[in-house]
Amino acid sequence: MLSMTNISKVFQTDEIQTHALRDFSLQVNEGDFVSVTGPSGSGKTTFLNIAGLLETFTSGSFLLDDINVSGLNDKQRSRFRNEKIGFIFQSFNLIPDLNLFDNVDVPLRYLGLKGKERKERIEHHLDMVGLASRMKHLPSQLSGGQQQRVAIARALATHPRFLLADEPTGNLDTHMAQSVMSLLEDINTKGTTIIMVTHDNELAKRASRKIQIKDGRVSELDKVIDHDIDVSPQAIA
Amino acid sequence: MFFYYLRMAKISMVKHWGLSLLMILAIGLGIGAAMTTITVNYMMSANPIPHKSNQLFNVQLDSWDVNEPYFDDGRPPAQLTYRDAMALMDARKAMRQTVQSQANAVIEPEGDDSIPFQVSARANSADFFTMFDVPFIYGGPWTRQADESKEQVVVINSEINQRVFGGENSVGQTLKIAGFYYKVVGVIDYWNPLPRFYDISTGAFNETEEIFVPFSMIAEEKINRSGNTNCWKPSGDGFEAFLNSECVWTQFWVELPDNQAWQEYNDFLTAYVQQQKAIGRFERPLNNRLLNVMQWLESMEVVEDDAVMMMAMSLMFLLVCLLNTVGLLLAKFLGKSGEIGIRQALGASRRDLFYQYLVESGCIGVAGGLLGLLFAYLGLQGIDSLYGEMTRGLTELDATLVLSAIALAILSSLAAGLYPTWQASKVQPSQQLKSQ
Amino acid sequence: MNEIALIFRALLRNKVGAILISLQIALTLTIMVNAVFMMQERHAQMQRPSGLDEANLFYLSNTIFATDYNQEVALRDDLELLRNTPGVVDAIQINAIPLSGGGWSMGLQTEPGENQSSAGVAVYMVDDHAIHTLGLELLSGENFAETDIQWRESGTTRWPAKTIVTQAMAKELYPDDWQSALGKTVYISQTQPIQIIGIVRALQAPWNGWNGVERSMLVPYQMETSNSRYMIRTEPGRRDELMPIIEKALAQSNKGRIIRGLRTMEETRERSYRGHNAVNKILTTVVFTLTLITGFGIVGLAMFSINRRTKQIGTRRALGASRSQIMGYFLIENLMITTLGVVIGSAGAIGLNIWLVNTFTLSPINPVLVVIGIACIYLVGLLAVLYPARKAANISPAIATRTA
Ligand SMILES: Nc1ncnc2c1ncn2[C@@H]1O[C@H](COP(=O)(O)OP(=O)(O)OP(=O)(O)O)[C@@H](O)[C@H]1O
Ligand SMILES: [Mg+2]
């Protein structure tokens, strides 16, 4: 259902060109749980952004649900993201001015659901991540792990068929990381396709499929075990 | 979605209340100042008789000194000499015509204990009332015959009717004016054209007169004329000589139903001047004017310089306020680029975002507009108290003005919001999601 | 120096914001300078002396309606009554009131004839008590004698043989030496000779907007008119007390007329310049609010940019920048923006002035005013950015290690 062939992405800045992805080809099937590892700067986030239609690519072809993505305009792309894709970010990316309820509400609004249905879904998903009682709290009043759980609730509330997670556990302790991972496995067994970028080898192993990105190219890791995985946490931007 | 955006706007405005307040205040002050001065200008340049301003024409003839023009820019005198006005009156070449002059008189009511009082008066001919659509409560205008036979008749306004006759139908009663007895033929209702176009030589924004008597009363020396008199050549001694002099002091208006009538009347005026030239008058080049109401007000520059200048100032002031708002909105929206990135990732299209932030700009605009209305109201009150009765009737907000104030506020804040909104919706999601 | 280049480059990255404030500052300067200039002009006009003892003068209208009324006798009686009222210094009949807006003007010329150029002059018809009543200062020559006063019948076009003119009028007729006007015979109504027997320092015409407002003449006439005015000068401090007394006394002394329209000279001046006063108050308000808005705009934008850069500023502090360096950064940034605004604004101020000069009758602006305006703008900018800059300087370096 996700099929990338010979994708390349070049960032053109003032003087230098950065080849974030080159000749990148990948096939992901419905129900896969793919973990993505690779050294810092290898192009993992770039890949995820392109997969999530947040960014365009320079050349190659990308089919999502058999639809050629490069032909879509902004409106169609937003619709696609809204209906089919859920995002979880390393830095949570909750909207600071909105309380938890309203944060989860955001994608549902763009989905155009009725008020009652939205309310049900929000309550159900916040309940699922154990935060139903904190609905009126602002993100700044939560811990990092709790924020990440809200972000997951928000990503799942639209019932996406794709879940893209960029280091969802990067800012969490081991215990928290474990429980987030279990949550993702749970969702995967219910049929959601997941692509997760992580630096944690242990977590990566629990995925049904492992790939590694190096210098903008992909290599399947099912058999090969890589030795030089960079496990240092993301630098504080 | 609109209500969702409204709620989002509210959350955002409350969160950044200082900034929002500053923007609302800026727009409010700008709109308030602009509306205040626009109101005064609008009132000064209003059409005092909209339904027939294109059929009423002021007559100007250049009877002035051959050595220097009346106005520096060459416009002919604003008024006519008595003899020319009478000649045009006698010719009766227009559908309706009226000659007039301001006057004043003392009214002595009946009864021993009653106190005489002074009134403002207008001496005019019969057509005046029909031409200018003067509304009557009782009776009506006097007839052309009354003019010709120099009858002592009077039309009074409702205040004088109240004061002298207790507000009853006084048609047929007599009134002692300046020592002579006049028969009341009509009582007029409140009538207050602004500007008072029919005679701006004595103040375009003055009140209408309290009583109206036939123009012939001036020549009969039964009423005292007042108002503006301008002479370029000494007249001889005595009132008779004054009437025949080259002094200008009468206003002359005609009603002409269509273009053809205008053309004919204009030709008639030309012929009249040519004929006068033959007997040695009108030494200046032919310079007749036959302007309709609005052209006339325009050429007499009824809108005061101060008012125009203030309006220019206040529009610049509004511009500053808008620049202020653009800057603050831009800062605010760019401060939200993180949120914008997230919303895009969650499925908002650029158009959704554009709409959302436009609603927020619009909210600020509406709030600013309402505040602006309040400021405009206060501003007009302020102008009233600064100028006193000099701005009579010029400082009232009507529905058109209120609506245009709100429209101006929303339009200008949307204009101010457009660039920041557009910038906001252009945010690249992938950039924003990464750097937090 | 390096630092300044750095700030400049950072500014360039946020061009639009900087340009917006600059434009705002420019317009503020434009409006401010021109508004102050217009206020100054009006103020100067209002400062011109009328030549009268304004504080102790009032006047009233005497409207005659009775048909059997001997005006000559009545006037004599009235003036006698007025002049003998305790507290009254002197009183006259006069045809027009200075600064009131309504009056009579004629032309005077030094040579007789129809095609000679003449100078416009306001005419006051008065008797020999005028100088004393109005409180005029006779610079040279003499007052009218009682025998000079003539009875002017309504409708006459003849003029008396003598006149007293203001210094400004004398200058207008004899630009080289105004004193030489004394004793000269000039011509009124093109051909009638009239001799200048006295020159007074000042007496304003009825029209304050007329550029010849200082040019007036007194002629020795008492008028036959059904609508005349009496000007009355009282002892200092007794004006208000005497006004109703005199109104009543006159009204009772003769029932064939109405006494109305009592007004003090002070009120006349106030009414005459009410428009000027109003415009000045409005302009003051405009300039004041404008400066406030621009000031707060600068505060708002600076606060915002500081809030957004909190972490960056904290990091700089952590890396060793001192408080004053952080403050300096924002002050210099503000200085750059203000300078851009001032450059555009000075051009704008002069441009607007040129427009005003062309559209209305205004004189060109004094460049010193532009300089003062620029100084004010810099001051406002500095004051406005002070609070945000101090706030920025107080950001704790510890912020850097916290995740925002
Ligand atoms: N907006 C951009 N402009 C220029 N270069 C960029 C941009 N975004 C990413 N890059 C470059 O593209 C390359 C890949 O970046 P990417 O963010 O995908 O790395 P990553 O694998 O996610 O690394 P990390 O594990 O550190 O997050 C890097 O060399 C990066 O510098
Ligand atoms: Mg990354």
Short mmCIF file of all heavy atoms in Angstrom, two decimals, chain C residues 52-91:
data_model
loop_
_atom_site.label_atom_id
_atom_site.label_comp_id
_atom_site.label_asym_id
_atom_site.label_seq_id
_atom_site.Cartn_x
_atom_site.Cartn_y
_atom_site.Cartn_z
N LEU C 52 -7.81 96.31 21.32
CA LEU C 52 -8.88 96.74 22.21
C LEU C 52 -8.57 96.41 23.66
O LEU C 52 -7.76 95.55 23.95
CB LEU C 52 -10.19 96.03 21.83
CG LEU C 52 -10.65 96.07 20.39
CD1 LEU C 52 -11.90 95.24 20.23
CD2 LEU C 52 -10.91 97.50 19.98
N ASP C 53 -9.29 97.08 24.56
CA ASP C 53 -9.24 96.72 25.97
C ASP C 53 -10.26 95.61 26.17
O ASP C 53 -11.34 95.82 26.72
CB ASP C 53 -9.58 97.95 26.82
CG ASP C 53 -9.63 97.61 28.30
OD1 ASP C 53 -9.01 96.60 28.70
OD2 ASP C 53 -10.32 98.34 29.03
N GLU C 54 -9.93 94.41 25.67
CA GLU C 54 -10.94 93.35 25.55
C GLU C 54 -11.62 92.98 26.85
O GLU C 54 -12.81 92.71 26.88
CB GLU C 54 -10.30 92.10 24.94
CG GLU C 54 -10.05 92.23 23.46
CD GLU C 54 -9.36 91.01 22.88
OE1 GLU C 54 -9.61 89.90 23.37
OE2 GLU C 54 -8.55 91.17 21.96
N ALA C 55 -10.85 92.99 27.94
CA ALA C 55 -11.39 92.48 29.20
C ALA C 55 -12.55 93.31 29.72
O ALA C 55 -13.40 92.80 30.44
CB ALA C 55 -10.28 92.41 30.25
N ASN C 56 -12.61 94.58 29.34
CA ASN C 56 -13.62 95.45 29.94
C ASN C 56 -14.66 95.95 28.94
O ASN C 56 -15.41 96.87 29.23
CB ASN C 56 -12.94 96.66 30.60
CG ASN C 56 -11.97 96.19 31.67
OD1 ASN C 56 -12.33 95.40 32.53
ND2 ASN C 56 -10.73 96.66 31.59
N LEU C 57 -14.70 95.30 27.76
CA LEU C 57 -15.64 95.77 26.74
C LEU C 57 -16.78 94.77 26.54
O LEU C 57 -16.59 93.57 26.60
CB LEU C 57 -14.91 95.93 25.41
CG LEU C 57 -14.07 97.20 25.23
CD1 LEU C 57 -13.24 97.08 23.96
CD2 LEU C 57 -14.95 98.43 25.19
N PHE C 58 -17.97 95.32 26.33
CA PHE C 58 -19.06 94.48 25.83
C PHE C 58 -19.91 95.32 24.90
O PHE C 58 -19.74 96.54 24.81
CB PHE C 58 -19.88 93.88 26.98
CG PHE C 58 -20.81 94.82 27.67
CD1 PHE C 58 -22.14 94.93 27.28
CD2 PHE C 58 -20.36 95.61 28.71
CE1 PHE C 58 -23.01 95.79 27.93
CE2 PHE C 58 -21.22 96.49 29.36
CZ PHE C 58 -22.55 96.59 28.97
N TYR C 59 -20.77 94.66 24.15
CA TYR C 59 -21.62 95.41 23.22
C TYR C 59 -23.00 94.80 23.17
O TYR C 59 -23.23 93.69 23.66
CB TYR C 59 -20.99 95.47 21.83
CG TYR C 59 -20.75 94.14 21.19
CD1 TYR C 59 -21.70 93.53 20.38
CD2 TYR C 59 -19.55 93.47 21.40
CE1 TYR C 59 -21.47 92.32 19.80
CE2 TYR C 59 -19.31 92.24 20.83
CZ TYR C 59 -20.27 91.65 20.02
OH TYR C 59 -20.04 90.45 19.46
N LEU C 60 -23.93 95.55 22.56
CA LEU C 60 -25.29 95.05 22.44
C LEU C 60 -25.89 95.60 21.17
O LEU C 60 -25.37 96.55 20.56
CB LEU C 60 -26.11 95.47 23.67
CG LEU C 60 -26.08 96.95 24.08
CD1 LEU C 60 -27.06 97.76 23.27
CD2 LEU C 60 -26.38 97.07 25.57
N SER C 61 -27.02 95.00 20.77
CA SER C 61 -27.71 95.47 19.57
C SER C 61 -28.95 96.23 19.99
O SER C 61 -29.63 95.86 20.93
CB SER C 61 -28.15 94.29 18.71
OG SER C 61 -27.03 93.75 18.09
N ASN C 62 -29.21 97.30 19.25
CA ASN C 62 -30.35 98.15 19.50
C ASN C 62 -31.22 98.09 18.25
O ASN C 62 -30.90 98.68 17.24
CB ASN C 62 -29.83 99.57 19.77
CG ASN C 62 -30.94 100.55 19.98
OD1 ASN C 62 -31.98 100.22 20.54
ND2 ASN C 62 -30.72 101.77 19.50
N THR C 63 -32.30 97.32 18.32
CA THR C 63 -33.15 97.13 17.15
C THR C 63 -34.43 97.94 17.29
O THR C 63 -35.23 97.71 18.20
CB THR C 63 -33.50 95.64 16.97
OG1 THR C 63 -32.28 94.92 16.93
CG2 THR C 63 -34.29 95.41 15.71
N ILE C 64 -34.60 98.89 16.39
CA ILE C 64 -35.74 99.80 16.49
C ILE C 64 -36.88 99.29 15.62
O ILE C 64 -36.67 98.93 14.45
CB ILE C 64 -35.33 101.21 16.00
CG1 ILE C 64 -34.19 101.72 16.90
CG2 ILE C 64 -36.52 102.15 16.00
CD1 ILE C 64 -33.35 102.77 16.23
N PHE C 65 -38.07 99.17 16.19
CA PHE C 65 -39.21 98.74 15.37
C PHE C 65 -40.32 99.78 15.32
O PHE C 65 -41.14 99.78 14.44
CB PHE C 65 -39.75 97.40 15.87
CG PHE C 65 -40.22 97.43 17.30
CD1 PHE C 65 -41.52 97.78 17.60
CD2 PHE C 65 -39.34 97.10 18.33
CE1 PHE C 65 -41.95 97.81 18.92
CE2 PHE C 65 -39.78 97.13 19.65
CZ PHE C 65 -41.09 97.49 19.94
N ALA C 66 -40.31 100.68 16.30
CA ALA C 66 -41.36 101.68 16.32
C ALA C 66 -41.22 102.58 15.09
O ALA C 66 -40.12 102.86 14.63
CB ALA C 66 -41.26 102.52 17.59
N THR C 67 -42.34 103.02 14.53
CA THR C 67 -42.27 103.83 13.32
C THR C 67 -42.12 105.31 13.66
O THR C 67 -41.58 106.08 12.88
CB THR C 67 -43.52 103.59 12.43
OG1 THR C 67 -44.63 103.30 13.28
CG2 THR C 67 -43.28 102.45 11.48
N ASP C 68 -42.60 105.65 14.87
CA ASP C 68 -42.44 107.05 15.30
C ASP C 68 -41.24 107.14 16.23
O ASP C 68 -41.36 107.07 17.44
CB ASP C 68 -43.70 107.52 16.03
CG ASP C 68 -44.04 106.58 17.19
OD1 ASP C 68 -43.57 105.41 17.15
OD2 ASP C 68 -44.75 107.00 18.13
N TYR C 69 -40.08 107.27 15.68
CA TYR C 69 -38.88 107.15 16.50
C TYR C 69 -37.87 108.15 15.99
O TYR C 69 -37.45 108.08 14.83
CB TYR C 69 -38.34 105.72 16.36
CG TYR C 69 -37.31 105.32 17.39
CD1 TYR C 69 -37.68 104.59 18.52
CD2 TYR C 69 -35.97 105.64 17.22
CE1 TYR C 69 -36.74 104.19 19.44
CE2 TYR C 69 -35.02 105.25 18.14
CZ TYR C 69 -35.42 104.52 19.25
OH TYR C 69 -34.48 104.12 20.17
N ASN C 70 -37.48 109.08 16.82
CA ASN C 70 -36.47 110.05 16.39
C ASN C 70 -35.09 109.50 16.72
O ASN C 70 -34.63 109.55 17.85
CB ASN C 70 -36.69 111.39 17.07
CG ASN C 70 -35.75 112.45 16.54
OD1 ASN C 70 -34.64 112.15 16.09
ND2 ASN C 70 -36.19 113.70 16.59
N GLN C 71 -34.45 108.96 15.73
CA GLN C 71 -33.20 108.25 15.99
C GLN C 71 -32.11 109.16 16.52
O GLN C 71 -31.34 108.76 17.40
CB GLN C 71 -32.73 107.57 14.71
CG GLN C 71 -33.58 106.39 14.33
CD GLN C 71 -32.83 105.41 13.47
OE1 GLN C 71 -31.60 105.41 13.45
NE2 GLN C 71 -33.55 104.58 12.75
N GLU C 72 -32.04 110.37 15.98
CA GLU C 72 -30.95 111.26 16.38
C GLU C 72 -31.07 111.61 17.87
O GLU C 72 -30.08 111.53 18.61
CB GLU C 72 -31.01 112.53 15.52
CG GLU C 72 -29.64 113.07 15.24
CD GLU C 72 -29.64 114.15 14.16
OE1 GLU C 72 -30.60 114.24 13.37
OE2 GLU C 72 -28.65 114.90 14.11
N VAL C 73 -32.28 111.89 18.29
CA VAL C 73 -32.51 112.23 19.70
C VAL C 73 -32.28 111.00 20.58
O VAL C 73 -31.61 111.06 21.62
CB VAL C 73 -33.94 112.78 19.90
CG1 VAL C 73 -34.23 112.98 21.38
CG2 VAL C 73 -34.12 114.06 19.11
N ALA C 74 -32.82 109.88 20.13
CA ALA C 74 -32.72 108.66 20.92
C ALA C 74 -31.27 108.25 21.13
O ALA C 74 -30.87 107.83 22.21
CB ALA C 74 -33.50 107.53 20.24
N LEU C 75 -30.47 108.39 20.07
CA LEU C 75 -29.07 108.01 20.18
C LEU C 75 -28.36 108.89 21.21
O LEU C 75 -27.60 108.41 22.05
CB LEU C 75 -28.38 108.12 18.81
CG LEU C 75 -26.87 107.88 18.82
CD1 LEU C 75 -26.55 106.47 19.28
CD2 LEU C 75 -26.27 108.13 17.44
N ARG C 76 -28.66 110.19 21.14
CA ARG C 76 -28.03 111.11 22.08
C ARG C 76 -28.41 110.74 23.52
O ARG C 76 -27.57 110.67 24.41
CB ARG C 76 -28.46 112.54 21.76
CG ARG C 76 -27.44 113.60 22.20
CD ARG C 76 -27.98 114.99 21.94
NE ARG C 76 -29.31 115.17 22.52
CZ ARG C 76 -30.30 115.80 21.89
NH1 ARG C 76 -30.14 116.31 20.68
NH2 ARG C 76 -31.48 115.93 22.47
N ASP C 77 -29.70 110.43 23.69
CA ASP C 77 -30.17 110.04 25.02
C ASP C 77 -29.48 108.76 25.50
O ASP C 77 -29.06 108.66 26.65
CB ASP C 77 -31.69 109.82 25.01
CG ASP C 77 -32.44 111.14 24.82
OD1 ASP C 77 -31.78 112.20 24.90
OD2 ASP C 77 -33.66 111.09 24.58
N ASP C 78 -29.44 107.80 24.61
CA ASP C 78 -28.84 106.51 24.97
C ASP C 78 -27.39 106.69 25.40
O ASP C 78 -26.95 106.16 26.43
CB ASP C 78 -28.88 105.53 23.78
CG ASP C 78 -30.26 104.91 23.62
OD1 ASP C 78 -31.08 105.04 24.56
OD2 ASP C 78 -30.50 104.29 22.55
N LEU C 79 -26.63 107.43 24.59
CA LEU C 79 -25.21 107.60 24.89
C LEU C 79 -25.03 108.36 26.20
O LEU C 79 -24.14 108.03 27.00
CB LEU C 79 -24.49 108.31 23.74
CG LEU C 79 -24.31 107.45 22.47
CD1 LEU C 79 -23.67 108.25 21.35
CD2 LEU C 79 -23.48 106.21 22.78
N GLU C 80 -25.92 109.32 26.42
CA GLU C 80 -25.82 110.07 27.66
C GLU C 80 -26.08 109.16 28.86
O GLU C 80 -25.35 109.16 29.85
CB GLU C 80 -26.85 111.21 27.63
CG GLU C 80 -26.52 112.32 28.60
CD GLU C 80 -27.52 113.45 28.44
OE1 GLU C 80 -27.56 114.07 27.34
OE2 GLU C 80 -28.30 113.70 29.38
N LEU C 81 -27.13 108.33 28.69
CA LEU C 81 -27.46 107.37 29.76
C LEU C 81 -26.27 106.45 30.03
O LEU C 81 -25.86 106.24 31.17
CB LEU C 81 -28.69 106.56 29.35
CG LEU C 81 -29.29 105.56 30.35
CD1 LEU C 81 -30.78 105.38 30.04
CD2 LEU C 81 -28.61 104.20 30.33
N LEU C 82 -25.72 105.91 28.95
CA LEU C 82 -24.62 104.96 29.10
C LEU C 82 -23.41 105.62 29.76
O LEU C 82 -22.83 105.09 30.70
CB LEU C 82 -24.21 104.39 27.74
CG LEU C 82 -25.22 103.42 27.09
CD1 LEU C 82 -24.81 103.11 25.66
CD2 LEU C 82 -25.31 102.14 27.92
N ARG C 83 -23.05 106.76 29.26
CA ARG C 83 -21.82 107.41 29.73
C ARG C 83 -21.96 107.91 31.17
O ARG C 83 -20.96 108.08 31.87
CB ARG C 83 -21.44 108.56 28.80
CG ARG C 83 -20.91 108.05 27.46
CD ARG C 83 -20.81 109.14 26.40
NE ARG C 83 -20.39 108.54 25.12
CZ ARG C 83 -20.45 109.18 23.95
NH1 ARG C 83 -20.89 110.42 23.89
NH2 ARG C 83 -20.06 108.57 22.85
N ASN C 84 -23.20 108.10 31.60
CA ASN C 84 -23.40 108.57 32.97
C ASN C 84 -23.67 107.46 33.97
O ASN C 84 -23.88 107.71 35.14
CB ASN C 84 -24.54 109.58 33.01
CG ASN C 84 -24.11 110.88 32.34
OD1 ASN C 84 -22.93 111.24 32.38
ND2 ASN C 84 -25.05 111.54 31.71
N THR C 85 -23.73 106.22 33.46
CA THR C 85 -23.94 105.10 34.39
C THR C 85 -22.66 104.90 35.20
O THR C 85 -21.58 104.80 34.63
CB THR C 85 -24.26 103.80 33.60
OG1 THR C 85 -25.38 104.05 32.76
CG2 THR C 85 -24.56 102.65 34.54
N PRO C 86 -22.77 104.84 36.53
CA PRO C 86 -21.57 104.64 37.34
C PRO C 86 -20.90 103.31 36.98
O PRO C 86 -21.58 102.29 36.85
CB PRO C 86 -22.10 104.60 38.77
CG PRO C 86 -23.47 105.15 38.71
CD PRO C 86 -23.99 104.97 37.33
N GLY C 87 -19.60 103.35 36.82
CA GLY C 87 -18.89 102.11 36.46
C GLY C 87 -18.57 102.05 34.99
O GLY C 87 -17.68 101.30 34.58
N VAL C 88 -19.31 102.79 34.18
CA VAL C 88 -19.03 102.81 32.75
C VAL C 88 -17.94 103.84 32.47
O VAL C 88 -18.03 104.98 32.91
CB VAL C 88 -20.30 103.13 31.94
CG1 VAL C 88 -19.96 103.40 30.48
CG2 VAL C 88 -21.29 101.99 32.06
N VAL C 89 -16.90 103.43 31.75
CA VAL C 89 -15.82 104.35 31.43
C VAL C 89 -16.22 105.23 30.26
O VAL C 89 -16.07 106.45 30.29
CB VAL C 89 -14.53 103.57 31.11
CG1 VAL C 89 -13.44 104.50 30.62
CG2 VAL C 89 -14.07 102.80 32.34
N ASP C 90 -16.77 104.58 29.22
CA ASP C 90 -17.20 105.33 28.05
C ASP C 90 -18.03 104.41 27.16
O ASP C 90 -18.01 103.19 27.33
CB ASP C 90 -15.99 105.87 27.27
CG ASP C 90 -16.33 107.20 26.59
OD1 ASP C 90 -17.53 107.50 26.43
OD2 ASP C 90 -15.38 107.93 26.22
N ALA C 91 -18.75 104.99 26.21
CA ALA C 91 -19.58 104.17 25.33
C ALA C 91 -19.72 104.86 23.98
O ALA C 91 -19.64 106.08 23.89
CB ALA C 91 -20.94 103.93 25.95
#
